[in-house]
């Protein structure tokens, strides 16, 4: 009786999870567009006076673990090591380096620090170099750099080529990856986010989407309009996958358009589509635009800029400086197939669990 019913339910649940995995992993022509052409690289002379700014605490101490200071100095670079015990103006340090004659600026640190120095490099028309010493290194990933060994990024000082890429701006601040609003920004504002980013997203996103908390957003993207998205992500060039949790990566950073992903879940059916990470889920809107304006029914809203939690006055304007950033990269880079990880991505069973279970009552019981 009761025990048999439980066994049937358990078997049905396991079958559902297995089928979800099959659905996500099964190849389909719709899911595998032809790989885009790689970003064109150009030959330029090696820098004579490169200056690299390094954060010794970034990526849990990658600067020291990989001997980046010694290696950079061996290759002729001057290293500015940040003093993490005090607040430092990274952009001011970069401008000082330019005043002192730097002909290349580079960063070993997180994406937010990279954006600040990248803006200075773009202002002065200098090449910029990324060293993948951050925690996630999204920008480095999309440049095709080796995220497992940041020391290999320094090879660009000796044998490198140059890419011209776009640089985003939001409310007067630069960004190299994304600006997020609504549920995405609320996750980043969470105290648990820095210690367990992926787990925090999985734990919080379903409830934030199915709830109606936070300011109501309205998005103008070119001549298109998105009404009341619960989560919104604006990216420096579009990502390959419209997956609200794992966006894949950007095969190009020089297309001159912002990627826009809006998510609105209005019921269990749309939640189930998101659980299966279907590209055509009705709760997901994807488009591109050269300019995006986010309005809200509040004078100020939480926003995450390259993962940094901020509060910005509304409306919030996102724009793009097209091919404004000269990025020097090693001639040989491992990221030769930008779509490979999307083809092999597997469904995380926690996505199904979190979206299948009912929400906790508002009282938290």
């Amino acid at each position: 009786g009761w025990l048999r019913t439980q066994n049937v339910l358990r078997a049905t649940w396991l079958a559902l999870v297995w089928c979800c995995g099959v659905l996500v992993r099964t190849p389909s022509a719709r899911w595998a567009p032809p790989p885009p052409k790689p970003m064109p690289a150009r030959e330029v002379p090696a820098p004579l006076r490169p200056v690299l700014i390094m954060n010794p605490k970034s990526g849990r101490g990658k600067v020291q673990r990989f001997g980046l200071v010694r290696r950079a100095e061996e290759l002729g670079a001057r290293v500015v090591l940040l003093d993490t015990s005090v607040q430092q103006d990274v952009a001011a340090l970069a401008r000082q380096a330019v005043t002192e004659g730097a002909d290349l600026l580079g960063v070993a640190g997180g994406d937010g620090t990279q954006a600040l120095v990248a803006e200075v490099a773009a202002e002065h028309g200098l090449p910029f170099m990324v060293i993948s010493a951050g925690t996630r290194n999204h920008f480095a990933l999309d440049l095709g750099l080796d995220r497992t060994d940041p020391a290999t990024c320094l090879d660009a000082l000796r044998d490198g080529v140059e890419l011209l890429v776009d640089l985003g701006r939001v409310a007067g601040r630069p960004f190299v990856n994304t600006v997020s609003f609504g549920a995405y920004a609320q996750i980043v504002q969470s105290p648990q986010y820095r210690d367990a980013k992926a787990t925090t997203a999985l734990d919080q996103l379903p409830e934030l989407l199915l709830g109606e908390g936070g300011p109501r957003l309205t998005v103008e993207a070119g001549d298109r309009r998105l009404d009341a998205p619960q989560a919104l992500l604006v990216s420096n060039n579009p990502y390959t996958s419209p997956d609200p949790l794992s966006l894949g990566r950007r095969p190009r950073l020089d297309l001159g358009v912002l990627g826009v992903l809006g998510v609105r879940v209005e019921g269990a059916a749309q939640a189930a589509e998101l659980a299966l990470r279907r590209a055509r889920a009705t709760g997901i809107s994807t488009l591109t635009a050269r300019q995006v304006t986010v309005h809200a029914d509040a004078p100020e809203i939480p926003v995450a800029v390259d993962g940094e939690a901020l509060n910005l006055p509304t409306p919030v304007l996102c724009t793009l400086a097209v091919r404004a950033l000269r990025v020097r990269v090693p001639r040989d880079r491992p990221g030769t197939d930008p779509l490979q990880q999307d083809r092999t991505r597997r469904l995380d069973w926690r996505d199904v669990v979190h979206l299948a279970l009912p929400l906790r009552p508002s009282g938290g019981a």
Side-chain angles (χ1 to χ4, degrees):
W2 180 86
L3 182 59
R4 181 177 180 182
T5 300
Q6 291 296 308
N7 289 335
V8 170
L9 289 173
R10 185 178 294 109
T12 302
W13 173 248
L14 291 174
L16 171 63
V17 173
W18 180 84
C19 288
C20 289
V22 171
L23 284 171
V24 172
R25 292 193 299 268
T26 300
S28 168
R30 292 186 307 175
W31 296 87
K37 295 180 180 179
M39 289 183 285
R42 62 180 189 175
E43 297 286 342
V44 293
L48 299 176
R49 296 177 298 278
V51 175
L52 307 180
I53 298 173
M54 298 191 180
N55 182 347
K57 287 192 174 180
S58 186
R60 298 181 179 178
K62 287 183 179 178
V63 168
Q64 180 178 0
R65 283 190 286 122
F66 287 90
L68 298 183
V69 174
R70 178 184 57 80
R71 176 61 175 158
E73 291 177 343
E74 289 176 350
L75 291 169
R78 179 165 72 88
V79 175
V80 177
L81 202 61
L82 296 179
D83 182 356
T84 56
S85 65
V86 297
Q87 187 73 25
Q88 290 186 282
D89 187 335
V90 176
L93 292 174
R95 289 190 175 92
Q96 180 181 346
V98 174
T99 300
E100 294 172 352
D103 61 355
L104 175 144
L105 296 175
V107 174
D111 291 327
T113 304
Q114 290 172 11
L116 294 173
V117 179
E119 181 180 43
V120 177
E123 287 174 359
H124 294 274
L126 295 179
F128 175 69
M129 202 170 84
V130 174
I131 305 163
S132 56
T135 302
R136 302 301 292 275
N137 300 297
H138 288 179
F139 192 42
L141 169 69
D142 296 335
L143 290 169
L145 300 176
D146 188 345
R147 297 190 298 169
T148 63
D149 184 0
T152 62
C153 301
L154 295 170
D155 293 342
L157 292 172
R158 178 178 53 192
D159 184 22
V161 293
E162 194 170 276
L163 309 174
L164 291 178
V165 307
D166 304 333
L167 182 63
R169 291 194 64 81
V170 54
R173 298 176 59 95
F175 68 95
V176 294
N177 294 324
T178 60
V179 182
S180 53
F181 304 81
Y184 287 130
Q186 292 179 53
I187 289 171
V188 176
Q189 300 274 10
S190 165
Q192 296 83 21
Y193 177 76
R194 291 292 176 187
D195 295 328
K197 294 182 181 178
T199 301
T200 299
L202 288 170
D203 287 343
Q204 295 186 11
L205 186 58
E207 295 191 18
L208 289 171
L209 290 176
L210 287 170
E212 290 293 342
R216 180 183 176 88
L217 306 178
T218 303
V219 183
E220 296 177 357
D223 58 356
R224 300 281 299 278
R225 176 187 173 102
L226 297 179
D227 289 314
Q230 295 148 324
L232 174 72
L233 188 136
V234 179
S235 59
N236 173 10
N237 283 264
Y239 282 84
T240 56
S241 169
D243 180 331
L245 281 178
S246 176
L247 289 166
R249 56 183 289 186
R250 297 164 292 179
R252 296 287 294 254
L253 293 167
D254 60 348
L255 299 177
V257 292
L258 297 163
V260 182
L261 184 148
V263 183
R264 178 159 186 83
V265 173
E266 296 181 340
Q270 289 184 342
E273 287 181 327
L274 291 178
L276 295 175
R277 298 185 173 186
R278 289 179 176 167
R280 300 181 182 274
T282 55
I284 298 176
S285 299
T286 58
L287 50 102
T288 59
R290 295 190 179 275
Q291 178 174 299
V292 176
T293 304
V294 181
H295 302 269
D297 58 358
E300 190 176 82
I301 57 174
V303 180
V305 181
D306 279 340
E308 180 183 356
L310 303 170
N311 287 287
L312 298 179
T314 57
V316 180
L317 176 65
C318 301
T319 58
L320 206 61
V322 179
R323 301 191 182 185
L325 184 61
R326 300 169 54 191
V327 181
R328 187 171 179 88
V329 294
R331 187 178 304 276
D332 297 318
R333 306 187 303 284
T336 56
D337 187 359
L339 298 178
Q340 186 60 36
Q341 76 172 31
D342 287 335
R343 296 189 189 113
T344 59
R345 186 181 68 246
R346 296 191 179 192
L347 181 74
D348 190 321
W349 67 271
R350 289 174 295 175
D351 299 346
V352 181
V353 173
H354 286 308
L355 288 169
L357 292 177
L359 291 178
R360 292 191 294 269
S362 58

